[in-house]
């Protein structure tokens, strides 16, 4: 199943990355998470969250009256997406550029799509390389399995 197949029921202009995931720890309106709660929910470190804020991946994090970071469900959704981008191998500079484009609004859809399409091509290339590597490993494993039984 492709991304296009999974998004066919969406309305025009709807961004699947802005849609909330099925479950959040708290409902909207009661979603003020501390950095330690976000660490527990996402598996990211507090250092990483602070770094994301410094480099512009999350410059919009709200603060309490005492200056403590307060994250929302929308922030959690964004972190899930950013984590997926990291897994693709997208360079951090491109991730920051993507975040800037999101903040600029709908006029940047084409540029965002191009950035994601480029990353998708890179991922597909890496998948091909990994399949080739897996085939070599399977060949060697098969060799050792047969050699081990004939001795």
């Amino acid at each position: 199943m492709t991304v296009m197949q999974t998004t066919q029921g969406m309305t025009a202009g709807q961004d699947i990355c802005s849609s909330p995931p099925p479950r959040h720890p708290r409902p909207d309106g009661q979603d003020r998470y501390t950095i330690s709660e976000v660490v527990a929910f996402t598996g990211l470190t507090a250092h990483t969250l602070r770094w994301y804020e410094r480099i512009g991946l999350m410059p919009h994090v709200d603060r309490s009256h005492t200056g403590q970071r307060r994250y929302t469900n929308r922030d959690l959704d964004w972190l899930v997406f950013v984590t997926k981008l990291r897994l693709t191998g997208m360079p951090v500079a491109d991730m920051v550029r993507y975040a800037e484009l999101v903040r600029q609004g709908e006029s940047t859809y084409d540029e965002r799509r191009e950035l994601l399409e480029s990353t998708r091509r890179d991922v597909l290339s890496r998948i091909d390389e990994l399949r080739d590597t897996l085939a070599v490993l399977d060949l060697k494993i098969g060799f050792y399995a047969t050699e081990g039984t004939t001795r």
Side-chain angles (χ1 to χ4, degrees):
M1 181 177 292
T2 67
V3 172
M4 293 309 293
Q5 291 167 328
T6 61
T7 59
Q8 285 177 350
M10 295 175 57
T11 59
Q14 186 178 0
D15 184 355
I16 62 170
C17 296
S18 65
S19 314
R23 289 179 284 173
H24 287 115
R26 297 184 192 132
D28 288 343
Q30 298 174 14
D31 57 336
R32 295 289 180 242
Y33 305 99
T34 64
I35 198 166
S36 60
E37 290 172 318
V38 174
V39 164
F41 183 73
T42 64
L44 298 169
T45 66
H47 174 77
T48 298
L49 293 170
R50 288 183 196 104
W51 180 62
Y52 281 178
E53 194 174 346
R54 270 194 316 275
I55 66 172
L57 272 177
M58 295 197 66
H60 60 279
V61 176
D62 195 23
R63 302 276 182 146
S64 71
H65 68 284
T66 60
Q68 290 181 316
R69 289 170 178 84
R70 293 289 182 227
Y71 297 86
T72 65
N73 288 333
R74 187 173 177 165
D75 294 327
L76 296 180
D77 296 341
W78 177 252
L79 287 169
V80 167
F81 180 65
V82 167
T83 301
K84 296 296 183 193
L85 292 180
R86 294 272 328 232
L87 288 173
T88 69
M90 178 186 271
V92 173
D94 287 348
M95 292 168 50
V96 171
R97 177 68 184 139
Y98 183 86
E100 290 169 355
L101 292 170
V102 168
R103 285 190 294 278
Q104 290 173 22
E106 292 179 11
S107 65
T108 65
Y109 278 4
D110 287 340
E111 197 172 345
R112 286 189 244 173
R113 188 190 73 249
E114 289 170 15
L115 188 56
L116 294 176
E117 286 174 349
S118 173
T119 300
R120 185 178 192 280
R121 285 190 297 274
D122 294 343
V123 168
L124 289 172
S125 175
R126 284 201 346 262
I127 288 171
D128 287 342
E129 290 172 1
L130 287 171
R131 282 191 179 126
D132 289 344
T133 302
L134 184 60
V136 170
L137 289 172
D138 288 343
L139 184 67
K140 285 294 190 183
I141 290 168
F143 171 79
Y144 290 122
T146 10
E147 283 298 310
T149 58
T150 58
R151 290 188 161 187

